[in-house]
């Protein structure tokens, strides 16, 4: 290899690593700034020059945040709603995806096409009909009003259907020959082999419900029932905004998502790519 070619390769690597470092900085700095803001009083967050070191107001911000919105109560509300939603939605979307992938019934393609169209419907269009339905059922300001409307999430069904198509039919036939019923096949044969896809769908659904703001804001009327995003939005007042509390609340809100992702990250990539390659 000539000296000129070696120099060119070294310059390419330096350029590549520089771009990667810039990308890392752009990705990580907002989280670092959020953490720094959570440990400083509101007046120091936007000081000039900016303070980039942790402060000593973390526990004061935490106490004020708890007095203002009841941070532990709203976090528990969000955890209950999100975990229950994720559990039941994963089961429902998996069953629907399995049916679309492995069962032949009249109108299957038309129903699946309608499902794909449902993904394109703006979420805001459904707010008024859903609110009227919840009011008629007497479910306003309840957990089920937040959980039930999105249990059959179209994108999750689509993702599970694409993964289920890669499941060998011979495996299902062998289970039927051994005398297993359809429900037993689904829970003991299909779901265990679909763990990567289930993990990817679970992460997606968990993030969707944990960050869900608009629908809980509409359907929850009592501050005792608020979820974390709704409670944090109430910190933005007309006259005074405590950015230390907002930064701390935002920092706490990211922790469950990070923990949930770290628990399932080994399965995530293969689950997302499942069904994308035809053999």
């Amino acid at each position: 290899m000539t000296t000129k070619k070696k120099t060119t390769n070294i310059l390419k690597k330096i350029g590549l690593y520089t771009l990667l470092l810039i990308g890392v900085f752009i990705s990580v700095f907002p989280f670092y700034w959020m953490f720094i803001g959570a440990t400083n009083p509101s007046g120091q967050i936007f000081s000039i020059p900016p303070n980039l070191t942790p402060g000593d107001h973390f526990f004061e911000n935490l106490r004020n945040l708890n007095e203002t919105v009841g941070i532990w109560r709203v976090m528990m509300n969000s955890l209950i709603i999100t975990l229950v939603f994720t559990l039941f939605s994963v089961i429902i979307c998996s069953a629907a995806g399995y049916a679309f992938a492995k069962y032949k019934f009249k109108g299957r393609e038309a129903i699946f096409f309608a499902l794909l169209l449902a993904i394109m419907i703006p979420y805001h269009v459904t707010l008024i009909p859903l609110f009227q339905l919840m009011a008629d059922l007497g479910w306003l300001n309840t957990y089920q009003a937040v959980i039930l409307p999105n249990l059959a999430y179209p994108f999750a069904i689509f993702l599970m259907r694409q993964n289920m198509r890669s499941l060998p039919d011979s495996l299902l036939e062998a289970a039927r020959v051994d005398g297993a019923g359809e429900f037993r096949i689904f829970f003991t044969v299909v779901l265990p082999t679909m763990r990567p896809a289930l993990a990817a769908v679970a992460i997606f659904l968990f993030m969707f419900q944990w960050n869900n703001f608009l629908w809980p804001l509409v359907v929850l009327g009592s501050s005792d029932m608020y979820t974390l995003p709704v409670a944090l939005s109430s910190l933005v007042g007309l006259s005074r905004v405590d950015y230390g509390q907002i930064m701390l609340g935002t920092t706490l809100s990211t922790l469950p998502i990070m923990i949930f992702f770290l628990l399932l990250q080994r399965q995530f990539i293969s689950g997302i790519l499942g069904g994308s390659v035809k053999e």
Side-chain angles (χ1 to χ4, degrees):
M1 185 180 293
T2 63
T3 304
K4 185 178 179 180
K5 194 170 184 179
K6 286 182 179 178
T7 305
T8 303
N9 289 335
I10 291 173
L11 290 176
K12 284 182 179 178
K13 286 185 178 179
I14 291 175
L16 176 63
Y17 289 138
T18 303
L19 287 176
L20 290 175
L21 286 174
I22 293 173
V24 170
F25 177 79
I26 293 174
S27 301
V28 173
F29 184 75
F31 291 97
Y32 180 73
W33 175 253
M34 183 174 64
F35 173 72
I36 295 299
T39 61
N40 281 291
S42 184
Q44 292 185 12
I45 294 176
F46 299 108
S47 61
I48 299 176
N51 180 18
L52 297 178
T53 57
D56 55 358
H57 281 67
F58 176 83
F59 290 104
E60 184 177 344
N61 287 337
L62 182 61
R63 183 175 62 254
N64 293 335
L65 183 62
N66 195 39
E67 291 174 354
T68 306
V69 299
I71 184 64
W72 305 123
R73 185 189 67 248
V74 297
M75 282 197 74
M76 186 57 65
N77 288 341
S78 283
L79 274 177
I80 293 172
I81 289 173
T82 304
L83 290 177
V84 172
F85 169 81
T86 303
L87 174 64
F88 285 98
S89 187
V90 164
I91 295 174
I92 290 172
C93 294
S94 301
Y98 177 58
F100 280 121
K102 294 300 177 184
Y103 288 93
K104 295 181 180 178
F105 51 89
K106 191 174 182 180
R108 182 182 69 168
E109 299 303 324
I111 296 173
F112 187 70
F113 182 70
L115 187 74
L116 295 180
L117 289 179
I119 299 176
M120 305 174 194
I121 298 175
Y123 183 63
H124 309 81
V125 175
T126 63
L127 288 180
I128 294 178
L130 276 178
F131 182 83
Q132 186 62 52
L133 178 61
M134 295 299 125
D136 293 341
L137 293 172
W139 285 359
L140 292 180
N141 202 37
T142 61
Y143 285 154
Q144 61 264 33
V146 182
I147 294 171
L148 291 179
N150 290 303
L151 277 182
Y153 199 79
F155 179 73
I157 295 174
F158 170 76
L159 190 60
M160 289 307 302
R161 183 250 192 187
Q162 296 305 104
N163 280 277
M164 293 288 186
R165 293 178 66 183
S166 63
L167 191 68
D169 292 334
S170 57
L171 185 65
L172 306 179
E173 292 300 328
R176 291 189 181 104
V177 169
D178 289 341
E182 295 301 319
F183 282 101
R184 185 180 175 188
I185 292 173
F186 177 69
F187 283 104
T188 62
V189 177
V190 176
L191 291 186
T193 58
M194 288 286 113
R195 278 184 297 182
L198 293 174
V201 169
I203 290 173
F204 174 78
L205 293 171
F206 186 93
M207 290 179 60
F208 165 77
Q209 188 59 266
W210 183 261
N211 294 321
N212 194 5
F213 168 71
L214 187 56
W215 176 240
L217 177 67
V218 170
V219 81
L220 297 177
S222 168
S223 59
D224 291 338
M225 296 294 293
Y226 279 176
T227 57
L228 189 55
V230 177
L232 291 181
S233 72
S234 67
L235 292 174
V236 182
L238 294 177
S239 58
R240 180 177 179 275
V241 179
D242 191 327
Y243 288 100
Q245 292 185 41
I246 292 176
M247 290 292 191
L248 178 56
T250 308
T251 301
L252 293 175
S253 72
T254 61
L255 294 180
I257 294 177
M258 290 182 179
I259 294 171
F260 196 74
F261 180 79
L262 289 175
L263 289 174
L264 301 177
Q265 65 171 337
R266 293 181 61 185
Q267 313 281 350
F268 180 71
I269 299 299
S270 56
I272 285 292
L273 296 178
S276 60
V277 178
K278 287 186 177 180
E279 295 181 354

